[in-house]
Amino acid sequence: MSRVLVTGGAGYIGSHACKLLSQSGYVPVAYDNLSTGWEDAVKFGPFENGDLLDRVRLREVFETHKPIAVMHFAALSQVGEAVEKPGLYWRNNVCGSLNLIETAVEFDCLDFVFSSTCATYGDQDGVTLTEDSDQQPLNAYGASKRAIEDILGDFEVSHGLRSVIFRYFNVAGADPDGEIGEHHRPETHLIPVMLDAIDGNRDGLTVFGTDYDTPDGTCIRDYVHVMDLVDAHVSGLKWLERGNDSRVFNLGTGNGFSVLDVIKSSGIVTNKEVPYSIGPRRNGDCVKLVSGSERARKELGWRPTRSTMKEMITDAWRWHQSGQYEK
Ligand code: UDP
């Protein structure tokens, strides 16, 4: 069976990708330094502990597994941290990805699926973002991802490396079978933080700013279920296998939810009160990020089936309550 190298395969999105890859007839090889991932999330193929900054280790893993393609998820991805420590983000995300790309080329592994982000667009006056929108990242996280997109373009010209780049919006939910889910330490993302607050594991949720120019004053995001997201990744891999050209796809539903909308839905799904207070804005946050994802639907045949707010919170809540969340 064909092997696919999944960087960040022990992390939230990477582990879900590994599950779907293995169900789709591939062997996912999870490459992860466990800085934010969990070894027990690697359940669907071999685990290789390694850092993207370690070229020798990367070569060893390519030599051992001879992957036919790379799915590259491993990255630092917290907006607040990126504003505080831009050097960390540029070094880890960009230098690490460059090592990976150069090693893939060295081993003639020329199909590359890359996890990029809507944060590469920055704030654009609330317009719906399409793949052709300008990229004006507001922070080192978005800027580092945009730089990697550029590197992929250069390596296509010089080495024939073809890529599918997914710019995704906010990922939420968990494996509906309950085998894997979202687990960051520290947790910063809205939905898991909120579920923790509902459960009494933290004092409460702080809403970062209610003075934005939106109907209720809080930021608006487009949430997509992690299973729908990784489904697009497997389609992206097949797209490359069929010999198609490199392509960029947004992944979102086109529906915007404010922070207060998400709080309301969480209260309904869990049937519990959400303890929250209002705090100041968080540095680096965009007001509104909502996707136009027509291209993925038309060209990849992507059909998100689980990305309603209710289903995402239901699956996240099931995972949260399963006892596997706290380690
Ligand atoms: N948010 C919040 N309180 C939190 C975490 C997040 O108000 O404890 C807000 C955040 O400002 C943003 C939205 O929720 O508007 C989604 O943030 P998250 O960190 O989940 O994802 P991001 O959009 O930064 O990728």
Side-chain angles (χ1 to χ4, degrees):
M1 275 200 288
S2 302
R3 296 188 165 222
V4 176
L5 186 71
V6 182
T7 73
Y12 171 41
I13 303 172
S15 61
H16 288 77
C18 286
K19 176 162 183 169
L20 193 60
L21 280 167
S22 98
Q23 288 174 338
S24 308
Y26 300 90
V27 176
V29 178
Y31 186 85
D32 202 299
N33 65 5
L34 300 182
S35 64
T36 56
W38 305 90
E39 191 167 348
D40 60 8
V42 182
K43 302 180 183 212
F44 311 101
F47 173 54
E48 294 287 0
N49 193 332
D51 197 296
L52 291 175
L53 294 173
D54 184 347
R55 281 289 285 266
V56 174
R57 182 78 186 112
L58 268 174
R59 280 205 191 95
E60 242 170 50
V61 170
F62 272 85
E63 184 65 54
T64 305
H65 295 283
K66 305 197 168 37
I68 54 135
V70 175
M71 268 192 200
H72 179 28
F73 297 96
L76 296 173
S77 62
Q78 290 175 30
V79 167
E81 184 183 55
V83 175
E84 280 164 32
K85 301 176 187 166
L88 180 68
Y89 273 66
W90 280 98
R91 186 170 307 101
N92 186 80
N93 291 359
V94 178
C95 299
S97 298
L98 182 56
N99 279 342
L100 174 67
I101 291 165
E102 286 185 323
T103 311
V105 165
E106 202 177 308
F107 284 85
D108 208 25
C109 175
L110 298 178
D111 287 355
F112 201 100
V113 179
F114 175 53
S115 147
S116 188
T117 169
C118 62
T120 61
Y121 294 118
D123 258 339
Q124 311 225 353
D125 291 332
V127 296
T128 298
L129 298 163
T130 73
E131 293 82 354
D132 297 323
S133 298
D134 284 346
Q135 290 179 289
Q136 304 160 359
L138 286 191
N139 53 60
Y141 168 57
S144 68
K145 290 282 189 172
R146 188 186 62 178
I148 299 161
E149 293 190 8
D150 290 346
I151 294 172
L152 286 170
D154 288 343
F155 275 74
E156 171 152 30
V157 173
S158 56
H159 297 288
L161 181 88
R162 283 174 316 128
S163 61
V164 165
I165 293 172
F166 289 112
R167 294 187 190 138
Y168 19 104
F169 289 67
N170 288 58
V171 187
D175 169 27
D177 304 335
E179 283 190 284
I180 43 178
E182 185 167 13
H183 186 203
H184 300 108
R185 276 295 174 266
E187 187 55 78
T188 62
H189 291 110
L190 178 62
I191 291 175
V193 165
M194 185 161 6
L195 298 182
D196 250 352
I198 290 174
D199 233 6
N201 293 335
R202 64 170 74 217
D203 287 344
L205 168 80
T206 304
V207 175
F208 295 142
T210 51
D211 58 348
Y212 287 99
D213 185 16
T214 61
D216 66 20
T218 64
C219 291
I220 293 177
R221 296 287 182 274
D222 179 341
Y223 293 83
V224 59
H225 195 294
V226 65
M227 295 309 299
D228 286 333
L229 188 91
V230 298
D231 181 58
H233 284 66
V234 174
S235 300
L237 174 63
K238 292 184 173 163
W239 163 280
L240 291 172
E241 286 183 327
R242 288 196 301 274
N244 288 303
D245 289 342
S246 295
R247 200 75 170 130
V248 176
F249 297 101
N250 280 352
L251 294 178
T253 64
N255 301 315
F257 292 87
S258 72
V259 176
L260 294 180
D261 289 335
V262 179
I263 290 177
K264 193 169 165 206
S265 299
S266 298
I268 293 169
V269 168
T270 61
N271 202 21
K272 290 180 188 252
E273 183 115 351
V274 184
Y276 72 92
S277 57
I278 308 298
R281 292 181 176 198
R282 181 174 67 176
N283 273 341
D285 261 343
C286 298
V287 181
K288 180 176 173 187
L289 291 168
V290 176
S291 160
S293 297
E294 279 316 297
R295 185 185 286 178
R297 286 178 170 78
K298 268 197 203 132
E299 298 184 19
L300 279 184
W302 185 54
R303 299 277 173 276
T305 58
R306 302 192 72 85
S307 295
T308 61
M309 186 50 71
K310 183 175 170 210
E311 203 140 9
M312 287 185 280
I313 295 173
T314 301
D315 288 345
W317 183 232
R318 185 187 306 110
W319 162 253
H320 188 89
Q321 291 190 299
S322 70
Q324 300 172 72
Y325 184 81
E326 292 299 332
K327 301 239 169 34

